[in-house]
Amino acid sequence: MALSRYKLIAQLLTLALLVGLALWEHLMRHYDLILPPTLLAIALLISLPLQWLGRLRPSVADHLLLAGGLVLCAVEAPSSANPMLWLGLSITLSFLLLTFFPALLLAFCLVPILLVLIGDGRLAALNLVFGWWLMLVAAALTVLLDQSSHAKRFTLTPWRRDKRLSATCTRENLKIEIARASALDQPLSVLVVYIPQLDQAGDQFGGHLREVLLSSFSSVVSDNSRQSDLLGENHANVFWLILPNTAEPGAVAAAKRLSDAVTAVAHPEIGALESYSRVCTLQSQESAERFARRLEAAATKLLEPHA
């Protein structure tokens, strides 16, 4: 799936810093130190289009960037005039690119390892305490920022709390996203999803089971979507998953990932859920009305084999 705007900006800034570091080492005639930032810059440059096209999962890219960043810190720190700055950078990278507890464990281990690599008797009690204190500060900031982002995050949580967006609200959100995509010249795709078991649940077992399945389905979509994605029910058992800043290849990858994830939702009476989906991508100069008609036609095609 396509990169979010903020992650794209962060990775482009990182790429610029790596290129700048490689050029600086070249100017300083530190030829033995040019290779690590150069290789990391090349790897990041290759990963950007792969992430954009949905061919590389963001978590894999984050882990590659973390590994390369730690190698860079280990190489640059011993010869640096301020080696403790590289220690701080390694801790920061851990908390930026990993979830909280793995980052905490990795940072705890990195402090003594980097102090040993720096040498010159740096592995002293004072430096060790300072490194771990820096780790705790980074952990506290991560917790505070995470709580703040949870309070302000635009996710699928309102849809899960209200069971589903109304058809009217879904269409209004679609118009907004179409206008934004057209103004910024960005791609926009919509995943039309049909869940046939919801028909069976409602007809044979009543509305309660259908609501239970809907809640489970919404949780699966939320766990496998970006914060900017929007989900709503177009009409009975057919849903629109609006994917801003996503071209057709990324939407196809999202459809495959969602289809695999939905099978984890199961109930004794009906078994595992299955989904049928179609991808519709906004065409250049296409109006909101025409795009909505294409989405309706896609939904009709999905319903035909199950009529």
Side-chain angles (χ1 to χ4, degrees), residues 17-50:
L17 289 173
L18 291 171
V19 172
L21 180 59
L23 292 174
W24 173 259
E25 298 293 4
H26 177 73
L27 292 174
M28 293 294 102
R29 299 182 184 276
H30 298 159
Y31 299 116
D32 56 328
L33 299 178
I34 295 176
L35 192 58
T38 302
L39 291 178
L40 190 54
I42 293 173
L44 186 56
L45 186 62
I46 294 173
S47 74
L48 283 170
L50 292 178

PDB file of all heavy atoms in Angstrom, residues 17-50:
ATOM      1  N   LEU A  17      19.950  13.048   4.344  1.00  0.00           N
ATOM      2  CA  LEU A  17      20.991  13.046   5.372  1.00  0.00           C
ATOM      3  C   LEU A  17      22.079  12.013   5.073  1.00  0.00           C
ATOM      4  O   LEU A  17      23.271  12.267   5.268  1.00  0.00           O
ATOM      5  CB  LEU A  17      20.361  12.773   6.734  1.00  0.00           C
ATOM      6  CG  LEU A  17      19.511  13.908   7.323  1.00  0.00           C
ATOM      7  CD1 LEU A  17      18.798  13.441   8.586  1.00  0.00           C
ATOM      8  CD2 LEU A  17      20.388  15.118   7.637  1.00  0.00           C
ATOM      9  N   LEU A  18      21.670  10.849   4.595  1.00  0.00           N
ATOM     10  CA  LEU A  18      22.644   9.798   4.272  1.00  0.00           C
ATOM     11  C   LEU A  18      23.537  10.214   3.111  1.00  0.00           C
ATOM     12  O   LEU A  18      24.759  10.003   3.141  1.00  0.00           O
ATOM     13  CB  LEU A  18      21.910   8.489   3.950  1.00  0.00           C
ATOM     14  CG  LEU A  18      21.219   7.805   5.117  1.00  0.00           C
ATOM     15  CD1 LEU A  18      20.347   6.662   4.617  1.00  0.00           C
ATOM     16  CD2 LEU A  18      22.232   7.285   6.121  1.00  0.00           C
ATOM     17  N   VAL A  19      22.929  10.798   2.086  1.00  0.00           N
ATOM     18  CA  VAL A  19      23.724  11.275   0.952  1.00  0.00           C
ATOM     19  C   VAL A  19      24.688  12.375   1.403  1.00  0.00           C
ATOM     20  O   VAL A  19      25.865  12.400   1.021  1.00  0.00           O
ATOM     21  CB  VAL A  19      22.805  11.782  -0.175  1.00  0.00           C
ATOM     22  CG1 VAL A  19      23.611  12.450  -1.275  1.00  0.00           C
ATOM     23  CG2 VAL A  19      21.986  10.628  -0.743  1.00  0.00           C
ATOM     24  N   GLY A  20      24.191  13.278   2.249  1.00  0.00           N
ATOM     25  CA  GLY A  20      25.049  14.336   2.769  1.00  0.00           C
ATOM     26  C   GLY A  20      26.203  13.793   3.604  1.00  0.00           C
ATOM     27  O   GLY A  20      27.339  14.278   3.502  1.00  0.00           O
ATOM     28  N   LEU A  21      25.925  12.764   4.405  1.00  0.00           N
ATOM     29  CA  LEU A  21      26.980  12.164   5.221  1.00  0.00           C
ATOM     30  C   LEU A  21      28.040  11.496   4.341  1.00  0.00           C
ATOM     31  O   LEU A  21      29.250  11.617   4.597  1.00  0.00           O
ATOM     32  CB  LEU A  21      26.375  11.151   6.186  1.00  0.00           C
ATOM     33  CG  LEU A  21      27.351  10.421   7.111  1.00  0.00           C
ATOM     34  CD1 LEU A  21      28.120  11.403   7.980  1.00  0.00           C
ATOM     35  CD2 LEU A  21      26.608   9.398   7.972  1.00  0.00           C
ATOM     36  N   ALA A  22      27.578  10.781   3.302  1.00  0.00           N
ATOM     37  CA  ALA A  22      28.528  10.132   2.391  1.00  0.00           C
ATOM     38  C   ALA A  22      29.411  11.170   1.696  1.00  0.00           C
ATOM     39  O   ALA A  22      30.634  10.977   1.566  1.00  0.00           O
ATOM     40  CB  ALA A  22      27.780   9.290   1.366  1.00  0.00           C
ATOM     41  N   LEU A  23      28.819  12.290   1.255  1.00  0.00           N
ATOM     42  CA  LEU A  23      29.607  13.349   0.617  1.00  0.00           C
ATOM     43  C   LEU A  23      30.583  13.986   1.604  1.00  0.00           C
ATOM     44  O   LEU A  23      31.726  14.310   1.247  1.00  0.00           O
ATOM     45  CB  LEU A  23      28.664  14.417   0.036  1.00  0.00           C
ATOM     46  CG  LEU A  23      27.810  13.984  -1.162  1.00  0.00           C
ATOM     47  CD1 LEU A  23      26.834  15.087  -1.545  1.00  0.00           C
ATOM     48  CD2 LEU A  23      28.698  13.620  -2.350  1.00  0.00           C
ATOM     49  N   TRP A  24      30.149  14.165   2.834  1.00  0.00           N
ATOM     50  CA  TRP A  24      31.030  14.744   3.856  1.00  0.00           C
ATOM     51  C   TRP A  24      32.245  13.845   4.115  1.00  0.00           C
ATOM     52  O   TRP A  24      33.374  14.335   4.197  1.00  0.00           O
ATOM     53  CB  TRP A  24      30.245  14.962   5.140  1.00  0.00           C
ATOM     54  CG  TRP A  24      31.093  15.402   6.301  1.00  0.00           C
ATOM     55  CD1 TRP A  24      31.554  14.646   7.333  1.00  0.00           C
ATOM     56  CD2 TRP A  24      31.585  16.725   6.535  1.00  0.00           C
ATOM     57  NE1 TRP A  24      32.302  15.398   8.192  1.00  0.00           N
ATOM     58  CE2 TRP A  24      32.342  16.689   7.721  1.00  0.00           C
ATOM     59  CE3 TRP A  24      31.470  17.940   5.840  1.00  0.00           C
ATOM     60  CZ2 TRP A  24      32.972  17.815   8.240  1.00  0.00           C
ATOM     61  CZ3 TRP A  24      32.095  19.059   6.362  1.00  0.00           C
ATOM     62  CH2 TRP A  24      32.847  18.992   7.544  1.00  0.00           C
ATOM     63  N   GLU A  25      32.009  12.543   4.229  1.00  0.00           N
ATOM     64  CA  GLU A  25      33.121  11.619   4.443  1.00  0.00           C
ATOM     65  C   GLU A  25      34.074  11.629   3.253  1.00  0.00           C
ATOM     66  O   GLU A  25      35.301  11.496   3.416  1.00  0.00           O
ATOM     67  CB  GLU A  25      32.589  10.205   4.684  1.00  0.00           C
ATOM     68  CG  GLU A  25      31.705  10.045   5.911  1.00  0.00           C
ATOM     69  CD  GLU A  25      32.449  10.241   7.222  1.00  0.00           C
ATOM     70  OE1 GLU A  25      33.644  10.571   7.197  1.00  0.00           O
ATOM     71  OE2 GLU A  25      31.832  10.065   8.283  1.00  0.00           O
ATOM     72  N   HIS A  26      33.509  11.787   2.064  1.00  0.00           N
ATOM     73  CA  HIS A  26      34.366  11.868   0.872  1.00  0.00           C
ATOM     74  C   HIS A  26      35.227  13.125   0.913  1.00  0.00           C
ATOM     75  O   HIS A  26      36.433  13.083   0.616  1.00  0.00           O
ATOM     76  CB  HIS A  26      33.506  11.845  -0.382  1.00  0.00           C
ATOM     77  CG  HIS A  26      34.292  12.002  -1.655  1.00  0.00           C
ATOM     78  ND1 HIS A  26      35.081  10.997  -2.166  1.00  0.00           N
ATOM     79  CD2 HIS A  26      34.411  13.065  -2.501  1.00  0.00           C
ATOM     80  CE1 HIS A  26      35.664  11.424  -3.283  1.00  0.00           C
ATOM     81  NE2 HIS A  26      35.270  12.669  -3.510  1.00  0.00           N
ATOM     82  N   LEU A  27      34.624  14.258   1.278  1.00  0.00           N
ATOM     83  CA  LEU A  27      35.376  15.507   1.343  1.00  0.00           C
ATOM     84  C   LEU A  27      36.451  15.467   2.430  1.00  0.00           C
ATOM     85  O   LEU A  27      37.521  16.074   2.281  1.00  0.00           O
ATOM     86  CB  LEU A  27      34.419  16.684   1.590  1.00  0.00           C
ATOM     87  CG  LEU A  27      33.451  17.016   0.448  1.00  0.00           C
ATOM     88  CD1 LEU A  27      32.466  18.089   0.871  1.00  0.00           C
ATOM     89  CD2 LEU A  27      34.216  17.466  -0.799  1.00  0.00           C
ATOM     90  N   MET A  28      36.151  14.755   3.520  1.00  0.00           N
ATOM     91  CA  MET A  28      37.116  14.634   4.613  1.00  0.00           C
ATOM     92  C   MET A  28      38.158  13.545   4.350  1.00  0.00           C
ATOM     93  O   MET A  28      39.005  13.283   5.199  1.00  0.00           O
ATOM     94  CB  MET A  28      36.377  14.331   5.918  1.00  0.00           C
ATOM     95  CG  MET A  28      35.494  15.456   6.420  1.00  0.00           C
ATOM     96  SD  MET A  28      36.410  16.938   6.927  1.00  0.00           S
ATOM     97  CE  MET A  28      36.150  18.000   5.482  1.00  0.00           C
ATOM     98  N   ARG A  29      38.049  12.894   3.181  1.00  0.00           N
ATOM     99  CA  ARG A  29      38.969  11.817   2.789  1.00  0.00           C
ATOM    100  C   ARG A  29      38.913  10.619   3.749  1.00  0.00           C
ATOM    101  O   ARG A  29      39.900   9.914   3.929  1.00  0.00           O
ATOM    102  CB  ARG A  29      40.401  12.340   2.684  1.00  0.00           C
ATOM    103  CG  ARG A  29      40.566  13.437   1.650  1.00  0.00           C
ATOM    104  CD  ARG A  29      42.003  13.899   1.540  1.00  0.00           C
ATOM    105  NE  ARG A  29      42.135  15.017   0.607  1.00  0.00           N
ATOM    106  CZ  ARG A  29      42.245  14.890  -0.704  1.00  0.00           C
ATOM    107  NH1 ARG A  29      42.242  13.673  -1.245  1.00  0.00           N
ATOM    108  NH2 ARG A  29      42.378  15.954  -1.478  1.00  0.00           N
ATOM    109  N   HIS A  30      37.739  10.411   4.365  1.00  0.00           N
ATOM    110  CA  HIS A  30      37.523   9.215   5.178  1.00  0.00           C
ATOM    111  C   HIS A  30      36.909   8.139   4.280  1.00  0.00           C
ATOM    112  O   HIS A  30      35.732   7.793   4.406  1.00  0.00           O
ATOM    113  CB  HIS A  30      36.594   9.530   6.358  1.00  0.00           C
ATOM    114  CG  HIS A  30      37.147  10.554   7.298  1.00  0.00           C
ATOM    115  ND1 HIS A  30      36.343  11.297   8.157  1.00  0.00           N
ATOM    116  CD2 HIS A  30      38.420  10.981   7.515  1.00  0.00           C
ATOM    117  CE1 HIS A  30      37.102  12.122   8.850  1.00  0.00           C
ATOM    118  NE2 HIS A  30      38.364  11.948   8.486  1.00  0.00           N
ATOM    119  N   TYR A  31      37.702   7.626   3.371  1.00  0.00           N
ATOM    120  CA  TYR A  31      37.163   6.739   2.342  1.00  0.00           C
ATOM    121  C   TYR A  31      36.645   5.420   2.922  1.00  0.00           C
ATOM    122  O   TYR A  31      35.762   4.786   2.333  1.00  0.00           O
ATOM    123  CB  TYR A  31      38.240   6.467   1.279  1.00  0.00           C
ATOM    124  CG  TYR A  31      38.690   7.723   0.574  1.00  0.00           C
ATOM    125  CD1 TYR A  31      40.008   8.167   0.687  1.00  0.00           C
ATOM    126  CD2 TYR A  31      37.806   8.469  -0.187  1.00  0.00           C
ATOM    127  CE1 TYR A  31      40.420   9.325   0.042  1.00  0.00           C
ATOM    128  CE2 TYR A  31      38.203   9.632  -0.827  1.00  0.00           C
ATOM    129  CZ  TYR A  31      39.515  10.058  -0.711  1.00  0.00           C
ATOM    130  OH  TYR A  31      39.913  11.208  -1.343  1.00  0.00           O
ATOM    131  N   ASP A  32      37.195   5.012   4.064  1.00  0.00           N
ATOM    132  CA  ASP A  32      36.728   3.765   4.666  1.00  0.00           C
ATOM    133  C   ASP A  32      35.355   3.910   5.307  1.00  0.00           C
ATOM    134  O   ASP A  32      34.714   2.912   5.658  1.00  0.00           O
ATOM    135  CB  ASP A  32      37.730   3.283   5.719  1.00  0.00           C
ATOM    136  CG  ASP A  32      37.995   4.346   6.790  1.00  0.00           C
ATOM    137  OD1 ASP A  32      37.941   5.547   6.449  1.00  0.00           O
ATOM    138  OD2 ASP A  32      38.263   3.984   7.948  1.00  0.00           O
ATOM    139  N   LEU A  33      34.862   5.146   5.466  1.00  0.00           N
ATOM    140  CA  LEU A  33      33.564   5.388   6.101  1.00  0.00           C
ATOM    141  C   LEU A  33      32.478   5.770   5.094  1.00  0.00           C
ATOM    142  O   LEU A  33      31.345   6.057   5.494  1.00  0.00           O
ATOM    143  CB  LEU A  33      33.687   6.494   7.159  1.00  0.00           C
ATOM    144  CG  LEU A  33      34.644   6.216   8.326  1.00  0.00           C
ATOM    145  CD1 LEU A  33      34.690   7.407   9.263  1.00  0.00           C
ATOM    146  CD2 LEU A  33      34.218   4.960   9.087  1.00  0.00           C
ATOM    147  N   ILE A  34      32.832   5.814   3.814  1.00  0.00           N
ATOM    148  CA  ILE A  34      31.848   6.221   2.804  1.00  0.00           C
ATOM    149  C   ILE A  34      30.841   5.111   2.529  1.00  0.00           C
ATOM    150  O   ILE A  34      29.653   5.361   2.290  1.00  0.00           O
ATOM    151  CB  ILE A  34      32.562   6.619   1.491  1.00  0.00           C
ATOM    152  CG1 ILE A  34      33.429   7.860   1.725  1.00  0.00           C
ATOM    153  CG2 ILE A  34      31.556   6.891   0.386  1.00  0.00           C
ATOM    154  CD1 ILE A  34      34.245   8.264   0.514  1.00  0.00           C
ATOM    155  N   LEU A  35      31.278   3.857   2.578  1.00  0.00           N
ATOM    156  CA  LEU A  35      30.440   2.744   2.129  1.00  0.00           C
ATOM    157  C   LEU A  35      29.147   2.581   2.931  1.00  0.00           C
ATOM    158  O   LEU A  35      28.075   2.417   2.325  1.00  0.00           O
ATOM    159  CB  LEU A  35      31.253   1.445   2.153  1.00  0.00           C
ATOM    160  CG  LEU A  35      30.613   0.248   1.443  1.00  0.00           C
ATOM    161  CD1 LEU A  35      30.336   0.562  -0.017  1.00  0.00           C
ATOM    162  CD2 LEU A  35      31.503  -0.978   1.571  1.00  0.00           C
ATOM    163  N   PRO A  36      29.166   2.589   4.289  1.00  0.00           N
ATOM    164  CA  PRO A  36      27.903   2.350   5.029  1.00  0.00           C
ATOM    165  C   PRO A  36      26.774   3.325   4.691  1.00  0.00           C
ATOM    166  O   PRO A  36      25.665   2.887   4.351  1.00  0.00           O
ATOM    167  CB  PRO A  36      28.331   2.446   6.499  1.00  0.00           C
ATOM    168  CG  PRO A  36      29.774   2.072   6.490  1.00  0.00           C
ATOM    169  CD  PRO A  36      30.319   2.627   5.217  1.00  0.00           C
ATOM    170  N   PRO A  37      27.011   4.665   4.748  1.00  0.00           N
ATOM    171  CA  PRO A  37      25.885   5.557   4.390  1.00  0.00           C
ATOM    172  C   PRO A  37      25.476   5.445   2.927  1.00  0.00           C
ATOM    173  O   PRO A  37      24.301   5.608   2.593  1.00  0.00           O
ATOM    174  CB  PRO A  37      26.433   6.957   4.712  1.00  0.00           C
ATOM    175  CG  PRO A  37      27.905   6.814   4.709  1.00  0.00           C
ATOM    176  CD  PRO A  37      28.192   5.437   5.175  1.00  0.00           C
ATOM    177  N   THR A  38      26.443   5.138   2.036  1.00  0.00           N
ATOM    178  CA  THR A  38      26.104   5.004   0.621  1.00  0.00           C
ATOM    179  C   THR A  38      25.205   3.798   0.376  1.00  0.00           C
ATOM    180  O   THR A  38      24.189   3.893  -0.327  1.00  0.00           O
ATOM    181  CB  THR A  38      27.392   4.868  -0.214  1.00  0.00           C
ATOM    182  OG1 THR A  38      28.228   6.008   0.007  1.00  0.00           O
ATOM    183  CG2 THR A  38      27.056   4.774  -1.690  1.00  0.00           C
ATOM    184  N   LEU A  39      25.561   2.651   0.963  1.00  0.00           N
ATOM    185  CA  LEU A  39      24.735   1.448   0.798  1.00  0.00           C
ATOM    186  C   LEU A  39      23.356   1.635   1.401  1.00  0.00           C
ATOM    187  O   LEU A  39      22.343   1.201   0.826  1.00  0.00           O
ATOM    188  CB  LEU A  39      25.441   0.247   1.437  1.00  0.00           C
ATOM    189  CG  LEU A  39      26.726  -0.246   0.743  1.00  0.00           C
ATOM    190  CD1 LEU A  39      27.335  -1.401   1.519  1.00  0.00           C
ATOM    191  CD2 LEU A  39      26.419  -0.673  -0.686  1.00  0.00           C
ATOM    192  N   LEU A  40      23.304   2.283   2.568  1.00  0.00           N
ATOM    193  CA  LEU A  40      22.004   2.513   3.205  1.00  0.00           C
ATOM    194  C   LEU A  40      21.146   3.463   2.378  1.00  0.00           C
ATOM    195  O   LEU A  40      19.927   3.266   2.250  1.00  0.00           O
ATOM    196  CB  LEU A  40      22.220   3.081   4.611  1.00  0.00           C
ATOM    197  CG  LEU A  40      20.993   3.174   5.523  1.00  0.00           C
ATOM    198  CD1 LEU A  40      20.301   1.822   5.638  1.00  0.00           C
ATOM    199  CD2 LEU A  40      21.378   3.693   6.889  1.00  0.00           C
ATOM    200  N   ALA A  41      21.758   4.474   1.779  1.00  0.00           N
ATOM    201  CA  ALA A  41      21.012   5.402   0.911  1.00  0.00           C
ATOM    202  C   ALA A  41      20.470   4.678  -0.312  1.00  0.00           C
ATOM    203  O   ALA A  41      19.325   4.903  -0.725  1.00  0.00           O
ATOM    204  CB  ALA A  41      21.913   6.560   0.504  1.00  0.00           C
ATOM    205  N   ILE A  42      21.281   3.791  -0.897  1.00  0.00           N
ATOM    206  CA  ILE A  42      20.824   3.038  -2.070  1.00  0.00           C
ATOM    207  C   ILE A  42      19.665   2.126  -1.712  1.00  0.00           C
ATOM    208  O   ILE A  42      18.664   2.030  -2.439  1.00  0.00           O
ATOM    209  CB  ILE A  42      21.999   2.230  -2.667  1.00  0.00           C
ATOM    210  CG1 ILE A  42      23.056   3.174  -3.251  1.00  0.00           C
ATOM    211  CG2 ILE A  42      21.504   1.267  -3.734  1.00  0.00           C
ATOM    212  CD1 ILE A  42      24.318   2.477  -3.699  1.00  0.00           C
ATOM    213  N   ALA A  43      19.774   1.437  -0.552  1.00  0.00           N
ATOM    214  CA  ALA A  43      18.699   0.548  -0.120  1.00  0.00           C
ATOM    215  C   ALA A  43      17.404   1.322   0.129  1.00  0.00           C
ATOM    216  O   ALA A  43      16.312   0.877  -0.256  1.00  0.00           O
ATOM    217  CB  ALA A  43      19.118  -0.193   1.154  1.00  0.00           C
ATOM    218  N   LEU A  44      17.518   2.490   0.748  1.00  0.00           N
ATOM    219  CA  LEU A  44      16.334   3.312   0.999  1.00  0.00           C
ATOM    220  C   LEU A  44      15.747   3.830  -0.307  1.00  0.00           C
ATOM    221  O   LEU A  44      14.518   3.871  -0.479  1.00  0.00           O
ATOM    222  CB  LEU A  44      16.706   4.472   1.915  1.00  0.00           C
ATOM    223  CG  LEU A  44      15.562   5.363   2.410  1.00  0.00           C
ATOM    224  CD1 LEU A  44      14.501   4.539   3.127  1.00  0.00           C
ATOM    225  CD2 LEU A  44      16.098   6.449   3.329  1.00  0.00           C
ATOM    226  N   LEU A  45      16.609   4.201  -1.248  1.00  0.00           N
ATOM    227  CA  LEU A  45      16.136   4.691  -2.545  1.00  0.00           C
ATOM    228  C   LEU A  45      15.378   3.608  -3.304  1.00  0.00           C
ATOM    229  O   LEU A  45      14.382   3.888  -3.976  1.00  0.00           O
ATOM    230  CB  LEU A  45      17.334   5.174  -3.363  1.00  0.00           C
ATOM    231  CG  LEU A  45      17.031   5.867  -4.697  1.00  0.00           C
ATOM    232  CD1 LEU A  45      16.223   7.135  -4.461  1.00  0.00           C
ATOM    233  CD2 LEU A  45      18.326   6.190  -5.421  1.00  0.00           C
ATOM    234  N   ILE A  46      15.827   2.361  -3.197  1.00  0.00           N
ATOM    235  CA  ILE A  46      15.139   1.251  -3.861  1.00  0.00           C
ATOM    236  C   ILE A  46      13.824   0.924  -3.163  1.00  0.00           C
ATOM    237  O   ILE A  46      12.819   0.597  -3.799  1.00  0.00           O
ATOM    238  CB  ILE A  46      16.053   0.009  -3.896  1.00  0.00           C
ATOM    239  CG1 ILE A  46      17.269   0.269  -4.788  1.00  0.00           C
ATOM    240  CG2 ILE A  46      15.295  -1.214  -4.386  1.00  0.00           C
ATOM    241  CD1 ILE A  46      18.297  -0.832  -4.756  1.00  0.00           C
ATOM    242  N   SER A  47      13.808   1.031  -1.823  1.00  0.00           N
ATOM    243  CA  SER A  47      12.608   0.643  -1.074  1.00  0.00           C
ATOM    244  C   SER A  47      11.457   1.620  -1.265  1.00  0.00           C
ATOM    245  O   SER A  47      10.290   1.231  -1.157  1.00  0.00           O
ATOM    246  CB  SER A  47      12.942   0.519   0.416  1.00  0.00           C
ATOM    247  OG  SER A  47      13.102   1.791   1.019  1.00  0.00           O
ATOM    248  N   LEU A  48      11.744   2.890  -1.551  1.00  0.00           N
ATOM    249  CA  LEU A  48      10.671   3.884  -1.683  1.00  0.00           C
ATOM    250  C   LEU A  48       9.665   3.532  -2.773  1.00  0.00           C
ATOM    251  O   LEU A  48       8.455   3.495  -2.505  1.00  0.00           O
ATOM    252  CB  LEU A  48      11.281   5.269  -1.908  1.00  0.00           C
ATOM    253  CG  LEU A  48      11.860   5.958  -0.673  1.00  0.00           C
ATOM    254  CD1 LEU A  48      12.636   7.200  -1.057  1.00  0.00           C
ATOM    255  CD2 LEU A  48      10.751   6.306   0.310  1.00  0.00           C
ATOM    256  N   PRO A  49      10.092   3.272  -4.020  1.00  0.00           N
ATOM    257  CA  PRO A  49       9.092   2.899  -5.035  1.00  0.00           C
ATOM    258  C   PRO A  49       8.430   1.553  -4.744  1.00  0.00           C
ATOM    259  O   PRO A  49       7.257   1.355  -5.082  1.00  0.00           O
ATOM    260  CB  PRO A  49       9.910   2.848  -6.337  1.00  0.00           C
ATOM    261  CG  PRO A  49      11.324   2.705  -5.920  1.00  0.00           C
ATOM    262  CD  PRO A  49      11.437   3.412  -4.619  1.00  0.00           C
ATOM    263  N   LEU A  50       9.159   0.633  -4.119  1.00  0.00           N
ATOM    264  CA  LEU A  50       8.551  -0.656  -3.784  1.00  0.00           C
ATOM    265  C   LEU A  50       7.435  -0.480  -2.760  1.00  0.00           C
ATOM    266  O   LEU A  50       6.384  -1.125  -2.850  1.00  0.00           O
ATOM    267  CB  LEU A  50       9.619  -1.616  -3.247  1.00  0.00           C
ATOM    268  CG  LEU A  50      10.673  -2.099  -4.256  1.00  0.00           C
ATOM    269  CD1 LEU A  50      11.690  -2.995  -3.570  1.00  0.00           C
ATOM    270  CD2 LEU A  50      10.012  -2.839  -5.410  1.00  0.00           C
TER     271      LEU A  50
END
